[in-house]
Amino acid sequence: YGTQFFKGGILETSDGGKSWNVISNDIGEAAFTHILVDPSSDEIYRTIYACAFGKGVYKSVDGGKTWIQKNNGIIGDELFAWRIERRENDGALYLIVSRRSEDDSIGNEKDGRLYKSIDGAESWTEITLPAGTNGPTSIITDSQAKGKLLLSAWGRPVGGPFTKDIGGGIFITDDDGKTWEQVLEQDQHIHDITFDPRTNTFYACGFEGSAYRSANSGKTWERIKGYNFKWGKRVDFDPNNPEKIFIITFGGGVWTGPSKGDNNAIEDIFF
């Protein structure tokens, strides 16, 4: 997984997408997996964070004109920085680093990891993942509870082709990662968790033919009936209608339907 295999950049448009300019020359070629704009920063000199797959975290304090690498405290080389989340009530940052191993191992330098920064990415402190988990995929904060985090993870095989993976699903913590509780286990391959503040509803989606919703702060999850496509990635919301959602997939188009599911939907034989 040498960094030379990852190509790409960060582009900016000031005319609604008619033209684009590269603004990541300070970083060079990289596969950028996530960009986070700090909404509390100056509108002219925005603070922006970027995850560069294979290179780690970068920060700009001038709206993307210049970038500085911010990997202090992050373990390993060729860092698979994947997602970065900012907690609204105190500005803390949370970083997902993807798992690198492909041999089902755990407890080594190829584990995925979770980090926290309280100084604007100047330094990072590792947060212990749930026991048996080394494939974090997304992290989301709850602005109504300071120590609450929801974590999605990708399971790993521990037996033959007919055994269930372990370490994946959805986990929740109320003490900033000191302790974790698994709240969704039946789906071991969750890709993303999202939150619609208009309805205080969390959504999740993954690779096992299901999407889920939680209306009680992530404590319990119900399957969204009617969505059966296997390669699900992320649930997003209709900005004009909170009762409608879109589910982005890998190579299978975009599914759209009611946010609470369709009780009259004809379900797949596996559900």
Side-chain angles (χ1 to χ4, degrees), residues 201-205 209-214 221-229 235 245-247 255 257-263 265 267 271:
T201 303
F202 288 93
Y203 295 92
C205 192
S210 295
Y212 305 90
R213 67 189 305 272
S214 173
W221 296 79
E222 62 180 78
R223 186 172 175 273
I224 299 175
K225 187 178 179 182
Y227 173 76
N228 303 318
F229 185 72
V235 179
I245 56 173
F246 299 91
I247 300 178
W255 180 94
S259 61
K260 295 180 181 179
D262 182 358
N263 289 328
E267 289 285 67
F271 299 101

Side-chain angles (χ1 to χ4, degrees), residues 86-92 94 141-148:
R86 180 182 181 273
R87 187 161 59 194
E88 182 179 353
N89 51 24
D90 64 358
Y94 295 87
T141 65
D142 187 336
S143 61
Q144 298 179 358
K146 184 175 180 180
K148 187 173 183 178

Side-chain angles (χ1 to χ4, degrees), residues 104-117:
D104 311 329
S105 63
I106 192 172
N108 55 53
E109 72 280 359
K110 293 185 178 181
D111 285 350
R113 300 180 188 275
L114 173 63
Y115 294 92
K116 177 183 178 180
S117 174

Side-chain angles (χ1 to χ4, degrees), residues 14 16 20 41 43 71 84 92-93 95 109 115 118 153 156 170 190-191 206 208 215 233-234 249 270-271:
S14 57
W20 294 86
S41 59
E43 292 184 2
N71 290 341
I84 188 167
L93 299 172
L95 172 70
E109 72 280 359
Y115 294 92
I118 59 173
R156 55 188 178 84
I170 299 176
I190 297 295
H191 191 282
E208 295 189 15
K233 181 180 179 182
R234 175 185 174 92
T249 70
F270 295 108
F271 299 101

Side-chain angles (χ1 to χ4, degrees), residues 49-243:
Y49 303 92
C51 292
F53 210 64
K55 292 185 176 182
V57 179
Y58 287 82
K59 179 180 180 179
S60 172
V61 294
D62 55 13
K65 293 181 176 64
T66 60
W67 297 87
I68 300 175
Q69 193 176 53
K70 299 292 183 180
N71 290 341
N72 182 30
I74 305 177
I75 298 171
D77 300 321
E78 293 187 355
L79 304 173
F80 282 13
W82 178 248
R83 289 288 184 274
I84 188 167
E85 173 84 2
R86 180 182 181 273
R87 187 161 59 194
E88 182 179 353
N89 51 24
D90 64 358
L93 299 172
Y94 295 87
L95 172 70
I96 293 285
V97 175
S98 289
R99 179 174 66 198
R100 294 185 61 191
S101 60
E102 295 183 355
D103 57 3
D104 311 329
S105 63
I106 192 172
N108 55 53
E109 72 280 359
K110 293 185 178 181
D111 285 350
R113 300 180 188 275
L114 173 63
Y115 294 92
K116 177 183 178 180
S117 174
I118 59 173
D119 56 10
E122 296 303 315
S123 62
W124 296 94
T125 301
E126 186 173 5
I127 295 176
T128 302
L129 290 169
T133 297
N134 73 341
T137 53
S138 73
I139 187 78
I140 190 165
T141 65
D142 187 336
S143 61
Q144 298 179 358
K146 184 175 180 180
K148 187 173 183 178
L149 305 170
L150 281 82
L151 174 78
S152 66
W154 206 263
R156 55 188 178 84
V158 291
F162 300 105
T163 60
K164 191 175 182 64
D165 289 3
I166 65 171
I170 299 176
F171 302 83
I172 194 169
T173 177
D174 291 314
D175 53 17
D176 230 21
K178 294 181 178 66
T179 59
W180 294 93
E181 176 188 0
Q182 187 158 34
V183 291
L184 181 71
E185 184 178 8
Q186 69 266 27
D187 193 325
Q188 283 287 306
H189 303 95
I190 297 295
H191 191 282
D192 264 310
I193 302 174
T194 51
F195 177 66
D196 188 348
R198 298 171 300 178
T199 58
N200 290 317
T201 303
F202 288 93
Y203 295 92
C205 192
F207 268 32
E208 295 189 15
S210 295
Y212 305 90
R213 67 189 305 272
S214 173
N216 59 1
S217 300
K219 295 176 184 177
T220 60
W221 296 79
E222 62 180 78
R223 186 172 175 273
I224 299 175
K225 187 178 179 182
Y227 173 76
N228 303 318
F229 185 72
K230 185 175 182 181
W231 307 114
K233 181 180 179 182
R234 175 185 174 92
V235 179
D236 277 310
F237 330 109
D238 187 323
N240 299 315
N241 182 3
E243 301 301 318

